[in-house]
Amino acid sequence: MAELSRRRPTIRDVARLSGVSISTVSVALNTPGSASPATRERVVRAAAELGYQPNATARSLNLRRAGSIGLMVPDLSNAYFVNIIAGVEREARDRGYLLVVGATDWQTAAEEQYSSLLRTQRLDGVIVSSGSGLPPASLLELVSVEPVVFVDERVAGFDGHFVGVDNRRAARVAAAYLFGLGHRRIGIIGGPLGLWTADQRLAGYREAAVAAGLDPDSIPLVHGDYQIASGSRAAAQLLADDDARPTALLVANDMMAVGAIAHCRDAGLDVPGDLGIVGFDDIPTASLMTPPLTTVRQPGRELGIAAARMLLDLVDGREPERSVTLPADLVVRGSALPPKGGV
Amino acid sequence: MAELSRRRPTIRDVARLSGVSISTVSVALNTPGSASPATRERVVRAAAELGYQPNATARSLNLRRAGSIGLMVPDLSNAYFVNIIAGVEREARDRGYLLVVGATDWQTAAEEQYSSLLRTQRLDGVIVSSGSGLPPASLLELVSVEPVVFVDERVAGFDGHFVGVDNRRAARVAAAYLFGLGHRRIGIIGGPLGLWTADQRLAGYREAAVAAGLDPDSIPLVHGDYQIASGSRAAAQLLADDDARPTALLVANDMMAVGAIAHCRDAGLDVPGDLGIVGFDDIPTASLMTPPLTTVRQPGRELGIAAARMLLDLVDGREPERSVTLPADLVVRGSALPPKGGV
DNA sequence: ACGGCTGATCGAACCGGTTCGATTCCCCAT
DNA sequence: ATGGGGAATCGAACCGGTTCGATCAGCCGT
């Protein structure tokens, strides 16, 4: 109720109250064992009495350290990215950093906007999960002089610090699983053209097709945008032709798989009975869906932790690995079975 | 490639290059029409040539404005809170603020930890969605002197700025719907004891029971913690007694509803055939679940936007409404039907 | 031709800390 | 008694901006 607008106490006030100089207060408070026990005691008591808290902005200014890092993700509605956020947040907090998060909604413009914040030195570094595949011009400029770590999505033609999984291998395994089940007529819902993860996953799917003796170019393919609605649309397209309808779908991420399943439900198709579906990411709800989604598990939280660790090492001047690859494995649940005709 | 460790240009460098004083540079860059066109031109050119970006930390220091706000949420794995984040992020960015997010994992300790950051003046204000119901001591201290807005969850015995919904009414409507369907033996999975939202929803459920001519104290009630696993556990408890098994469950949030449904699936109970379920929140996946979840829709994103708006108004010295209540309505989908025996 | 007014520019103080070199004081060895 | 060394403390510079009062031209009217 009281003291609404009283000025916050500064180090000056503490100095005055404890009868020592400003620099002594600073030393007494920050460098243990460097002030005499008696002064330290007096200073601490004065600080407590005034409720003094050092001004972090002022400290940042001459320490040239903001104490916070940034994280750009393309989409907050995708729980996989939220997992990454959770990991980064955790690691950042553990190491005393604040986390600024920015959602770019898959737009380069927003990426550009957030990137420029780095230049104004409000952030010690940034972790980027690109949604456009295009390196924001302003970001690339900075990458040589300021810590930047890419996570999940690699940016075209640029090999900076990176944390992710072997998308190609994981996709190959997923596709091979479907072929192993006996599926021959499959369809692919790919990610956005030009995105590294999308390209890699597609390449993996095709490798498995070749290994199974199929012509990869003959596989029906529709590109989505990694969001739910596009999964429904893509599924609708792929399943339009009743005669040559695929018996299974490889979907480049779980969000689109959710959309595809929703479409099937609306269209009266049974998953996995009429159509097998394999996703990618393993979002937290994947195991709770009906049917539980067979998908490739990406360790989102761990990726976030690893990325934060890498970035903060960079910030602290250590030289971490240039690239970290975490395992991504197929987790078989109930959304894909052998095709109806039998093997 | 080059100029790896070259010092960032400061206003001083711009002044030197353009041959004017530091203050003139500052004025020319920030106060349009206050410097002569010629100087302005020279300054701008010099700034561009050097790639000068003003140091935001230094600016913050004498403007006493951090340019960022904080948001504490209890749980990143709950998409409802993520919706709130998305709304806050959007509004903050639109108004030129950065958003620092902190996940407290339902722990007062973490809330306390984040709260104290406010005192160090790195944040201009904070939006809090409490996960403990307990006002962090350090936060309460500050609330009278620093902008704080509570969202979704109200803190015990404290009536600061708040954005949320009428939980009681919404819960009453949800319960009334179930009674209207003909259910008489229902069970309740409540939220954590002591949380305002949990109390309110419970109160609403009971009011509807009374209105339906039932003794609210006779309704089986198990408290969960708003997380998935507890929903499964609670459902298991409530459904244990085969003879007096409820025909429907009122679940205080969607995450627990997800858990409850998963339990039913594992236990061989059909939802909605054997058991109706009504949730609360309307997380984005609710409509995509099988069956699609009947639940109370809380406009998470809008709550976030409203909270950010309120906080930033507070920061800007305007005096916003003390409390904003957004509508929360039942959205009927497929997880509850009339009980098997008929009405 | 000169005083006064206006607009552009400048110097200095300030925001709130950290840090470094200088100073003071005390104690002990010579 | 005196000089040297070390610990505690201090003053001042600095981080990189903003802002305010002072200064300085240039131009006007009379």
Side-chain angles (χ1 to χ4, degrees):
Chain A
M1 291 301 159
E3 58 195 277
L4 251 137
S5 59
R6 212 160 65 197
R7 197 174 48 81
R8 268 211 175 68
T10 73
I11 197 172
R12 211 170 304 271
D13 301 315
V14 179
R16 200 159 13 224
L17 181 60
S18 53
V20 299
S21 78
I22 291 178
S23 46
T24 300
V25 173
S26 178
V27 165
L29 254 27
N30 299 319
T31 320
S34 167
S36 81
T39 359
R40 194 188 126 71
E41 171 65 18
R42 280 224 315 286
V43 168
V44 167
R45 193 184 304 278
E49 182 174 337
L50 294 171
Y52 168 72
Q53 293 284 124
N55 180 320
T57 304
R59 192 190 303 233
S60 287
L61 184 56
N62 49 21
L63 262 35
R64 284 165 209 74
R65 179 184 165 289
S68 33
I69 61 173
L71 170 60
M72 278 197 292
V73 295
D75 190 357
L76 285 175
S77 68
N78 185 333
Y80 165 63
F81 293 120
V82 178
N83 268 352
I84 295 181
I85 296 180
V88 172
E89 193 265 350
R90 185 53 202 259
E91 181 71 13
R93 175 154 45 112
D94 281 355
R95 290 174 62 162
Y97 283 78
L98 249 35
L99 175 65
V100 171
V101 337
T104 63
D105 298 319
W106 304 98
Q107 312 267 309
T108 312
E111 294 183 357
E112 200 67 60
Q113 187 179 348
Y114 271 115
S115 306
S116 80
L117 290 170
L118 225 196
R119 316 193 64 172
T120 67
Q121 308 180 11
R122 295 172 62 174
L123 265 21
D124 292 322
V126 196
I127 298 173
V128 178
S129 177
S130 170
S132 64
L134 300 171
S138 54
L139 191 59
L140 261 202
E141 258 179 67
L142 281 173
V143 118
S144 62
V145 60
E146 198 78 30
V148 178
V149 169
F150 288 89
V151 66
D152 178 63
E153 187 70 57
R154 198 146 211 162
V155 142
F158 171 78
D159 74 325
H161 291 266
F162 174 75
V163 173
V165 306
D166 186 340
N167 285 277
R168 180 130 148 218
R169 196 197 66 84
R172 195 187 328 123
V173 170
Y177 169 72
L178 227 38
F179 292 124
L181 245 30
H183 291 275
R184 283 296 170 269
R185 282 205 320 283
I186 63 160
I188 295 178
I189 302 183
L193 275 164
L195 244 48
W196 180 78
T197 53
D199 294 346
Q200 291 289 305
R201 288 171 200 176
L202 188 53
Y205 293 153
R206 294 169 61 106
E207 281 176 14
V210 171
L214 271 66
D215 172 13
D217 290 323
S218 71
I219 300 178
L221 164 67
V222 176
H223 285 280
D225 62 7
Y226 276 163
Q227 297 181 263
I228 290 183
S230 76
S232 299
R233 281 196 302 271
Q237 275 187 59
L238 287 170
L239 303 175
D241 184 356
D242 272 351
D243 299 328
R245 192 209 292 149
T247 59
L249 255 34
L250 286 163
V251 190
N253 85 342
D254 283 357
M255 293 301 273
M256 296 194 297
V258 166
I261 290 176
H263 167 80
C264 291
R265 195 190 53 209
D266 296 346
L269 259 73
D270 180 51
V271 177
D274 300 325
L275 185 79
I277 288 193
V278 175
F280 205 109
D281 281 351
D282 195 26
I283 55 176
T285 43
S287 63
L288 300 162
M289 296 168 51
T290 312
L293 188 65
T294 293
T295 189
V296 172
R297 170 163 205 281
Q298 287 208 83
R301 196 184 169 87
E302 286 71 24
L303 287 170
I305 291 177
R309 201 162 278 167
M310 185 182 277
L311 182 72
L312 292 176
D313 281 355
L314 236 28
V315 168
D316 293 347
R318 267 168 288 177
E319 185 53 49
E321 299 284 343
R322 189 160 198 80
S323 171
V324 166
T325 302
L326 262 38
D329 295 302
L330 182 70
V331 356
V332 173
R333 289 196 274 249
S335 64
L337 300 176
K340 255 180 177 160
V343 195
Chain B
M1 295 297 157
E3 56 195 278
L4 252 135
S5 59
R6 209 160 67 199
R7 197 174 49 81
R8 267 209 174 69
T10 73
I11 197 173
R12 210 170 304 271
D13 301 313
V14 179
R16 198 156 18 225
L17 181 59
S18 52
V20 299
S21 78
I22 291 178
S23 46
T24 300
V25 173
S26 178
V27 165
L29 255 27
N30 298 319
T31 319
S34 167
S36 79
T39 6
R40 195 188 127 72
E41 170 64 19
R42 281 225 313 286
V43 169
V44 167
R45 194 185 305 280
E49 183 174 336
L50 294 171
Y52 168 72
Q53 293 283 124
N55 180 320
T57 305
R59 196 193 300 242
S60 287
L61 184 55
N62 47 23
L63 263 37
R64 286 165 210 76
R65 178 184 163 290
S68 34
I69 60 172
L71 170 60
M72 279 196 292
V73 294
D75 189 356
L76 285 175
S77 68
N78 184 335
Y80 165 64
F81 293 120
V82 178
N83 269 352
I84 294 181
I85 296 179
V88 172
E89 193 266 349
R90 185 53 202 260
E91 181 69 13
R93 174 153 45 111
D94 281 355
R95 292 176 60 164
Y97 282 77
L98 250 36
L99 175 64
V100 170
V101 338
T104 62
D105 298 318
W106 303 98
Q107 312 267 305
T108 312
E111 294 183 357
E112 203 63 65
Q113 188 179 347
Y114 272 114
S115 306
S116 80
L117 291 170
L118 227 196
R119 316 193 65 169
T120 66
Q121 308 181 9
R122 294 172 62 173
L123 264 23
D124 292 322
V126 197
I127 297 173
V128 179
S129 178
S130 170
S132 63
L134 299 173
S138 53
L139 192 58
L140 261 201
E141 258 179 67
L142 281 173
V143 119
S144 63
V145 60
E146 198 79 29
V148 178
V149 169
F150 289 89
V151 66
D152 177 65
E153 187 69 59
R154 197 142 212 164
V155 141
F158 171 79
D159 73 326
H161 290 266
F162 174 75
V163 173
V165 304
D166 186 341
N167 286 276
R168 180 130 145 217
R169 196 198 65 84
R172 196 187 329 124
V173 170
Y177 168 73
L178 227 38
F179 291 125
L181 246 29
H183 290 277
R184 282 296 171 271
R185 282 205 320 281
I186 62 160
I188 295 179
I189 302 184
L193 274 164
L195 243 47
W196 181 77
T197 53
D199 294 346
Q200 291 290 304
R201 290 171 199 176
L202 188 53
Y205 293 153
R206 293 169 61 108
E207 280 175 14
V210 171
L214 271 65
D215 172 14
D217 291 323
S218 70
I219 300 177
L221 164 67
V222 177
H223 286 280
D225 61 8
Y226 276 162
Q227 297 181 262
I228 291 183
S230 77
S232 299
R233 280 196 303 272
Q237 274 186 61
L238 287 170
L239 303 174
D241 184 355
D242 273 350
D243 298 329
R245 193 209 292 149
T247 59
L249 254 34
L250 286 163
V251 190
N253 83 344
D254 283 356
M255 292 302 273
M256 295 194 298
V258 166
I261 290 176
H263 167 80
C264 291
R265 196 189 53 210
D266 296 347
L269 258 74
D270 179 51
V271 177
D274 299 326
L275 185 79
I277 287 192
V278 174
F280 205 111
D281 283 351
D282 195 25
I283 56 176
T285 43
S287 64
L288 301 161
M289 296 169 49
T290 312
L293 189 64
T294 293
T295 188
V296 172
R297 170 162 204 279
Q298 286 207 84
R301 195 183 170 88
E302 287 71 25
L303 287 169
I305 291 178
R309 200 162 278 168
M310 186 181 277
L311 183 71
L312 292 175
D313 281 355
L314 237 26
V315 168
D316 293 346
R318 266 168 289 177
E319 184 54 49
E321 298 283 343
R322 189 161 198 80
S323 171
V324 166
T325 302
L326 263 36
D329 296 302
L330 181 70
V331 356
V332 174
R333 287 194 276 250
S335 63
L337 300 176
K340 255 181 176 160
V343 195

